[in-house]
Amino acid sequence: MADNDSHRKLRIHALRYNPAKAGDTPRIQTYELEEAPGMTLFIALSEIREKQDPSLQFDFVCRAGICGSCGMMINGRPGLACRTVTKDLEADISLAPLPVFELIGDLSVNSGKWMRGMSEKLETWVHAQEKAIDLKRIEEPMDPALAEAVYELDRCIECGCCVASCGTARMRQDFVGAVGLNKIARFRLDPRDKRADADFYELVGDDNGVFGCMSLLACHDVCPKNLPLQTQIAFLRRKMVVQGTQG
Ligand code: SF4
Ligand code: F3S
Ligand code: FES
């Protein structure tokens, strides 16, 4: 935690391992660089790759907290490299890839593959009402408060930080994680989706869904978009319990 005028020497300790390279073994590699004003971890890593080590792998697309691709373990906690400023950290910074997801190499993981699997399993798209082909209904505006509530949950950028922080996700390969439960909460709210509560219960009313969640709440703490994961999961669980007793 530096004041703005100091030029600290940062030491970035990055976990290096390329599973595609025969004989490679996991190791920590330390890079030293001078901190610049307003430096983010993304800028620091880019400088390292440009000036010191072009082989260092990490992901980014938007650099603005929108695409969700730069998630990594920052001092043991999942976060976005492009939204983390170095001045908020000690001079020694440890970086590692997000656990749970398939490792591509170094700090790069294939979270997209995991998200696709979850998305296909939970069918995370609007299952439109047949009546939706009635043009008059399509034009019907959504109640603003409801539209706001759907939009709030739609802010998920699929960064995977919630999954990486979750003890259940680490133990249970098919657990849909807070990201999946949030999506179910989002589509359940959407009046254009014809699925009933019983259909959603079918999708997440088991140990890979709502009942696998042990309320550890790390997901809620690390979500970079501050999604109300705790509230959504608790609400879904209550609904599912009621649905289960009725079904
Ligand atoms: Fe990332 Fe939050 Fe979405 Fe999880 S719920 S994937 S932490 S934005
Ligand atoms: Fe995991 Fe969050 Fe539940 S951390 S156990 S999904 S409350
Ligand atoms: Fe897109 Fe960080 S690079 S969220």
Side-chain angles (χ1 to χ4, degrees):
M1 302 161 211
D3 69 59
N4 283 340
D5 298 328
S6 66
H7 289 283
R8 293 189 302 173
K9 184 76 81 188
L10 299 178
R11 282 169 301 280
I12 296 198
H13 311 283
L15 187 63
R16 306 289 316 271
Y17 176 51
N18 184 348
K21 197 166 143 194
D24 202 20
T25 48
R27 66 200 182 280
I28 301 288
Q29 188 158 349
T30 298
Y31 302 96
E32 288 195 358
L33 76 162
E34 190 159 312
E35 188 173 38
M39 185 177 244
T40 62
L41 278 179
F42 159 72
I43 294 172
L45 286 169
S46 299
E47 191 179 311
I48 290 169
R49 191 150 71 183
E50 202 179 301
K51 296 183 181 161
Q52 300 186 37
D53 186 351
S55 73
L56 180 65
Q57 296 186 69
F58 59 93
D59 297 314
F60 71 92
V61 178
C62 72
R63 309 169 201 184
I66 297 167
C67 72
S69 60
C70 67
M72 60 185 68
M73 299 301 278
I74 303 163
N75 292 337
R77 182 186 166 94
L80 299 180
C82 75
R83 303 305 289 166
T84 305
V85 284
T86 56
K87 78 172 170 51
D88 290 343
L89 305 171
E90 299 293 339
D92 283 277
I93 302 166
S94 73
L95 299 179
L98 292 182
V100 180
F101 304 107
E102 180 185 299
L103 179 68
I104 294 173
D106 303 332
L107 306 172
S108 169
V109 296
N110 195 346
S111 54
K113 183 176 168 190
W114 191 99
M115 292 292 167
R116 263 192 313 282
M118 174 276 293
S119 210
E120 280 163 15
K121 182 175 169 191
L122 300 184
E123 303 181 12
T124 59
W125 54 88
V126 171
H127 290 47
Q129 315 248 14
E130 260 89 73
K131 288 181 197 148
I133 47 173
D134 174 350
L135 282 180
K136 238 176 84 210
R137 274 191 68 91
I138 288 174
E139 283 162 13
E140 250 173 45
M142 199 187 289
D143 170 65
L146 192 51
E148 182 62 34
V150 171
Y151 171 73
E152 164 80 351
L153 304 186
D154 246 353
R155 292 184 304 109
C156 172
I157 55 172
E158 300 191 357
C159 63
C161 288
C162 57
V163 178
S165 72
C166 173
T168 303
R170 289 194 188 204
M171 289 183 306
R172 200 180 274 280
Q173 210 184 341
D174 293 326
F175 182 55
V176 300
V179 57
L181 297 175
N182 178 67
K183 291 207 182 273
I184 288 295
R186 178 248 177 272
F187 286 101
R188 200 185 149 271
L189 269 184
D190 195 320
R192 297 165 301 179
D193 199 311
K194 68 179 179 191
R195 287 177 288 182
D197 274 355
D199 301 317
F200 291 120
Y201 181 78
E202 277 289 305
L203 292 169
V204 291
D206 62 9
D207 285 350
N208 288 324
V210 163
F211 300 116
C213 167
M214 299 182 289
S215 301
L216 299 173
L217 296 181
C219 55
H220 187 92
D221 291 341
V222 302
C223 176
K225 305 311 274 187
N226 296 318
L227 288 172
L229 299 175
Q230 177 176 7
T231 317
Q232 292 308 321
I233 293 172
F235 178 78
L236 271 184
R237 185 182 288 119
R238 277 200 304 279
K239 276 278 169 200
M240 298 290 156
V241 167
V242 173
Q243 187 73 36
T245 54
Q246 289 172 350

